[in-house]
Amino acid sequence: MNLRIAIQTLCFGLTILNSSHAAASDLTIEGALFHTDKHPHKEDPATRAFVEFWVEWKNAWRNERNHDSVWVFLKLRGMDSIGVPITRHATIVGEPEFLNVDDKVGSPRMEIRVSNDRTGFFIEPVRPYRGDVRVKIRAAIDPAGLEGFGIETLRASAYGIEMVYIPEGPFSAGAAGEAALEYGAYYLSTGDNAFGGPYRITNENEITVGPEAGMLSYRPELASVHMGDAEGPIPSAFPKGFNAYYMMKYELTQGQYANFLNDIDYFGADLRANFGGRTYYDDRGTIRREGNIYVADSPDRPANFVSWEDGIAFLDWAALRPMTDFEFDKAARGPHTPSADEYVWGTTSTSQVERFILRNGDVGMLNGASESELTDSTREQFAASYYWVMDLSGSLWERVVTIGDAAGRAFTGIHGDGDISAWGEATAAHWPRELGSPRSKKGFGYRGGGFYDEGGHYDLYRPHSPVAYRPFGNWSGGPRHRAYGFRGVRSANDK
């Protein structure tokens, strides 16, 4: 893929004076203007402020099953009257509008869906389509958010992340074969903890956990403590994947993470900068500091060396949230009845997979195929999920909110609000946190398998893992590491 993203730094009320570019997931946001009717020599507050910009992404689609989308959010930064830095998430007011649809790239009819909390909006095709998109958008922002900024210092930035829509509906979670039980897979109990196949999720109601017939069960004693406590219940507020949600199409990239570091307070960037380890640059890391700016030399490369705290800080800043154990299953499998030990792409074999971490460290196709060639019949080759989410297996381990301990089960699916602490920490309520001693690290785990080294040890969960396997489904450890990544979601009902 030719992966791109552009972050536009704008001067107050003028055209672009300064811009920086970084790559990620075939998406570009550029050509932006920031407007306001506030006069720099008058005391009246601004009554109107908006940002205009072009959005372009490749291989967009909408079919009878689902579609892709772009989540767009805006940021403000500058200094107050005495020179103290201010960073702030912009609140969307009204309905953003399309100013131009570029017919030269065959852009389809599009729609904009603003989130209920006004932290951002989705752009997506309305009708069946497959191809490129290029549109110009004007989004009004709440002028109250400009208060406190020195007029000459105010800057605005537009960011976008490619997402995939996962529709509402039932699905089968967990093991379809008993071999998976040794790897922490959950299943339907038929009584006395007997294996009854995958557990069918048909709503968002509370799920009882235990050995009795009809309950969700799993057997951590078969393997290790990394599977979970096999307790419950799993509350109704815990997102189970039945309701519709959006998932990041690709893993968090190094370019996106560098943009995040550049946008947040410098105290926060000190904490969240992830490239200080001895092996970082030897193990595919490319983020570095150039003067006062963070840059990624391979911005489209998956962001490894990201801790849980790093990842949730990014998601809070982007007004997204972590995904859950069940949401991983749903995005991977869709609604069909699974086969024992099947992988994300729907078969039990890896022989046809041609998407890997290549020798240069990027994720790519060994045969050079373009994602425009991804179809249901080729998704094994692309290692794509049922809904065409990319790299849920074979790249970096995916972190999920676990069902395996009380800290994970307390998760309610609240989204980030776009603002993190000045010290770089996520502030969203009821999110698992990696704080204190190792024994207190609870609430999340790992799914999907991970790539460590070319020519290294391979097994049933490195680099590819069958969907149901949870060998580390309740392990809330893991510092910054070459094989660990991150990905976020957002509930379609804007919880």
Side-chain angles (χ1 to χ4, degrees):
M1 293 182 296
N2 179 21
L3 306 178
R4 300 168 296 157
I5 190 169
I7 304 304
Q8 301 304 326
T9 305
L10 315 174
C11 180
F12 184 90
L14 298 175
T15 56
I16 301 170
L17 291 187
N18 192 12
S19 65
S20 62
H21 297 267
S25 65
D26 280 344
L27 174 67
T28 304
I29 297 180
E30 62 185 1
L33 298 171
F34 180 35
H35 297 273
T36 180
D37 62 3
K38 181 177 176 63
H39 193 283
H41 303 298
K42 292 183 179 181
E43 297 301 322
D44 294 337
T47 57
R48 190 165 183 257
F50 56 86
V51 181
E52 297 178 7
F53 49 91
W54 284 91
V55 179
E56 180 178 1
W57 79 96
K58 296 184 180 300
N59 303 315
W61 85 85
R62 188 179 192 107
N63 55 35
E64 60 182 13
R65 175 189 299 161
N66 72 319
H67 57 82
D68 74 343
S69 182
V70 170
W71 169 246
V72 176
F73 54 100
L74 308 174
K75 299 287 184 176
L76 301 171
R77 64 180 298 131
M79 296 184 180
D80 66 12
S81 59
I82 60 173
V84 177
I86 304 173
T87 61
R88 188 176 297 157
H89 194 90
T91 300
I92 307 298
V93 297
E95 298 296 321
E97 58 182 322
F98 292 107
L99 299 181
N100 193 311
V101 176
D102 190 348
D103 294 331
K104 293 180 181 179
V105 298
S107 294
R109 181 183 172 192
M110 307 291 289
E111 68 176 349
I112 292 174
R113 295 183 59 252
V114 181
S115 65
N116 289 341
D117 60 11
R118 297 274 160 183
T119 55
F121 54 91
F122 291 99
I123 309 169
E124 52 200 35
V126 175
R127 296 173 180 166
Y129 179 74
R130 186 73 183 275
D132 298 343
V133 171
R134 188 168 186 266
V135 294
K136 188 174 186 180
I137 293 172
R138 175 162 53 199
I141 61 176
D142 186 353
L146 308 181
E147 294 178 5
F149 284 102
I151 296 300
E152 295 80 8
T153 70
L154 182 59
R155 301 289 186 270
S157 299
Y159 296 87
I161 299 175
E162 268 193 276
M163 311 288 285
V164 173
Y165 178 74
I166 313 298
E168 177 183 304
F171 66 101
S172 296
E178 292 193 63
L181 304 190
E182 295 185 26
Y183 297 92
Y186 35 75
Y187 61 92
L188 173 68
S189 173
T190 58
D192 295 328
N193 239 6
F195 175 71
Y199 186 90
R200 190 74 175 165
I201 293 180
T202 59
N203 53 53
E204 292 284 341
N205 294 345
E206 178 181 281
I207 294 176
T208 55
V209 179
E212 288 84 6
M215 292 186 176
L216 181 143
S217 186
Y218 55 101
R219 304 177 190 173
E221 72 279 1
L222 291 179
S224 77
V225 294
H226 296 327
M227 311 306 176
D229 58 18
E231 296 180 4
I234 303 168
S236 58
F238 184 93
K240 298 171 186 67
F242 176 83
N243 287 343
Y245 58 99
Y246 291 83
M247 176 175 281
M248 287 173 62
K249 183 178 181 182
Y250 306 96
E251 294 163 309
L252 172 65
T253 68
Q254 295 186 28
Q256 289 170 329
Y257 198 76
N259 293 332
F260 161 68
L261 293 175
N262 286 324
D263 185 85
I264 63 178
D265 188 280
Y266 63 89
F267 290 118
D270 287 345
L271 179 65
R272 298 275 76 94
N274 67 328
F275 51 88
R278 292 181 180 178
T279 67
Y280 176 77
Y281 296 109
D282 293 330
D283 287 326
R284 307 188 299 279
T286 70
I287 299 175
R288 59 185 174 82
R289 203 179 72 180
E290 191 173 279
N292 290 325
I293 301 298
Y294 294 94
V295 298
D297 293 328
S298 295
D300 56 322
R301 186 173 297 176
N304 55 0
F305 290 92
V306 175
S307 70
W308 173 262
E309 291 293 314
D310 295 333
I312 63 172
F314 176 89
L315 297 184
D316 197 357
W317 171 82
L320 300 175
R321 65 166 175 83
M323 66 172 154
T324 68
D325 246 329
F326 295 135
E327 289 174 323
F328 177 90
D329 284 12
K330 172 73 172 289
R333 285 178 170 163
H336 81 278
T337 301
S339 302
D341 299 333
E342 72 174 2
Y343 291 94
V344 165
W345 46 89
T347 76
T348 59
S349 170
T350 63
S351 63
Q352 300 302 312
V353 175
E354 297 204 36
R355 185 173 173 87
F356 292 95
I357 291 183
L358 305 176
R359 286 188 175 181
N360 67 1
D362 294 338
V363 175
M365 299 295 293
L366 294 176
N367 61 2
S370 164
E371 275 186 40
S372 63
E373 301 171 61
L374 171 61
T375 65
D376 286 344
S377 62
T378 63
R379 69 184 182 93
E380 180 177 4
Q381 176 185 341
F382 283 88
S385 84
Y386 177 86
Y387 292 110
W388 296 3
V389 178
M390 304 301 292
D391 307 319
L392 282 175
S393 178
S395 179
L396 303 177
W397 282 99
E398 303 281 348
R399 287 184 174 97
V400 301
V401 180
T402 183
I403 65 167
D405 63 40
R409 293 189 293 268
F411 181 64
T412 62
I414 289 175
H415 296 121
D417 63 3
D419 290 311
I420 63 175
S421 77
W423 305 104
E425 295 184 337
T427 57
H430 307 300
W431 286 15
R433 299 298 305 275
E434 188 179 0
L435 301 174
S437 69
R439 293 182 180 179
S440 70
K441 295 176 180 178
K442 297 181 178 180
F444 64 94
Y446 296 75
R447 300 288 299 275
F451 177 89
Y452 288 74
D453 304 287
E454 184 176 7
H457 177 67
Y458 296 101
D459 51 33
L460 287 175
Y461 48 88
R462 289 180 288 191
H464 298 115
S465 174
V467 175
Y469 284 28
R470 299 174 60 252
F472 304 103
N474 194 59
W475 183 50
S476 299
R480 293 166 177 162
H481 189 278
R482 68 188 184 279
Y484 303 160
F486 229 92
R487 188 191 310 256
V489 303
R490 186 172 177 97
S491 303
N493 63 3
D494 294 321
K495 186 174 182 179

